[in-house]
Amino acid sequence: MSAALNLICGPLGSGKTTLIRHLLTQKPKAEHWLVVVNEFGAVGIDGAILQSQGQTRVAQIPGGCICCTAKGEVEATLKRLLDEQQPDRILLEPTGLGEPDNLVDLIRFADFKDRIDIQAVVTVLDSAHTDIADIERMTIYQSLLNMADVVVLNKTDLAEPARIDALQDLCQACFPPKEVVIETTQGRLPLEAIRRAHFTSPAFSFVQSETPSLTPGLVKSHLHAPTAVEFPPVQTLPGLVAREGKHQGDTVAIGWVFEPDVAFDWQALRSLFEHLATKAHVKRAKGVFGVGASSRMLFQLVHGEVSRELIAYRKDSRLELLLTHVDAAFATQLEQSLQAAITAS
């Protein structure tokens, strides 16, 4: 049986350790949990704080970032703990400098395939001191947001309402969308928030189902009530998880989600998006695609302009289009282009 693993990420001082302490108070009695803490300092303070929580075993990896200089140590530590402890769940706290995309790659491609089930990646932000300008300027912030399934806006009691609203708007605009965005204080995160899969999530931003009930007053979500749209039978697409179409107002949305191991030719994708830019009925197109063993590339078509960039995202590959009307022939041709863009494994 594999152990569930959650990454608890966030900048220095965001409240990661406090959040983990709160999660430990919710641990089911029948489950065996471990905490692995990586601290940038020479001595481990957070580990000592967590060790005082009770019977939960805490392993410390001080003195280096587990995403780069301490990669070998974290791999060895996880293997040893799995062999010795057979945990049900591992909470892994990288340093505030750690990039979660590199850590997810390490766990995915090391010898953990049948031993670790990567569940929700949690990013904790200090809503009182996090500036939108810093997120837009610093790649570490962008990596933290792009990789997160759950975003925790912590310390809201100390933040100006306008700052909280700006952070909420930023989270709601993320693509792919976040599963849960929580406003809280003292790192209070409900246990059910971390019990969700990281790979593969077929949810689309235009099919936002109601967020499961967590702690009252903590979740702010934007809900929609679109109607289903009939499209032609889906083409045979390797690794396809789901295709969904929805209609709301004057917009038709269609999206595809692929397994995380499906690889695409980025040049073929660029040609596809450039072709979409010539279609008057395409309002917008966004896609994040695996273009190698671990790399992901974000393609966007907005106002007739195509852009692409590398993105710290690992869950799956997906494409989302917003159209002015249903076009069955167009959907069929698009799927043929997607199939041609998928590289041989």
Side-chain angles (χ1 to χ4, degrees), residues 104-296:
V104 167
D105 286 343
L106 170 64
I107 295 170
R108 282 187 65 201
F109 296 110
D111 188 24
F112 295 125
K113 182 176 181 181
D114 299 319
R115 306 191 70 188
I116 290 180
D117 173 24
I118 302 177
Q119 295 193 356
V121 174
V122 179
T123 289
V124 187
L125 297 177
D126 177 353
S127 56
H129 297 98
T130 301
D131 290 323
I132 300 297
D134 288 338
I135 296 176
E136 294 174 342
R137 178 175 56 88
M138 299 173 66
T139 57
I140 180 59
Y141 273 108
Q142 295 165 22
S143 296
L144 289 170
L145 276 181
N146 285 327
M147 288 296 295
D149 302 295
V150 176
V151 178
V152 178
L153 302 181
N154 198 23
K155 306 183 183 181
T156 54
D157 56 325
L158 305 177
E160 294 292 332
R163 187 187 295 269
I164 297 173
D165 288 342
L167 290 170
Q168 276 281 2
D169 290 342
L170 180 69
C171 292
Q172 296 296 338
C174 285
F175 181 85
K178 304 297 104 182
E179 295 189 27
V180 177
V181 179
I182 293 181
E183 299 176 12
T184 190
T185 62
Q186 298 298 318
R188 288 192 287 266
L189 180 67
L191 177 58
E192 57 264 36
I194 69 171
R195 288 173 164 171
R196 56 187 68 235
H198 183 65
F199 299 101
T200 293
S201 173
F204 295 99
S205 61
F206 59 84
V207 190
Q208 292 189 15
S209 58
E210 185 171 355
T211 304
S213 176
L214 300 174
T215 300
L218 294 187
V219 179
K220 180 187 291 185
S221 58
H222 295 245
L223 305 179
H224 305 279
T227 57
V229 172
E230 291 295 328
F231 281 95
V234 67
Q235 302 288 307
T236 302
L237 295 173
L240 181 68
V241 174
R243 183 190 73 175
E244 294 190 31
K246 298 291 177 180
H247 180 261
Q248 183 176 15
D250 61 353
T251 300
V252 175
I254 184 171
W256 297 258
V257 170
F258 296 85
E259 294 282 357
D261 293 332
V262 176
F264 292 80
D265 182 330
W266 72 265
Q267 292 175 313
L269 292 172
R270 181 180 61 184
S271 297
L272 171 59
F273 271 73
E274 289 173 348
H275 176 69
L276 293 175
T278 67
K279 301 298 182 180
H281 69 294
V282 177
K283 288 185 172 183
R284 190 195 73 188
K286 288 187 177 183
V288 57
F289 303 91
V291 292
S294 61
S295 298
R296 293 291 188 277

Side-chain angles (χ1 to χ4, degrees), residues 317-333:
S317 291
R318 58 178 60 204
L319 172 65
E320 173 185 291
L321 272 67
L322 300 184
L323 313 171
T324 59
H325 60 272
V326 177
D327 187 334
F330 169 78
T332 298
Q333 293 170 1

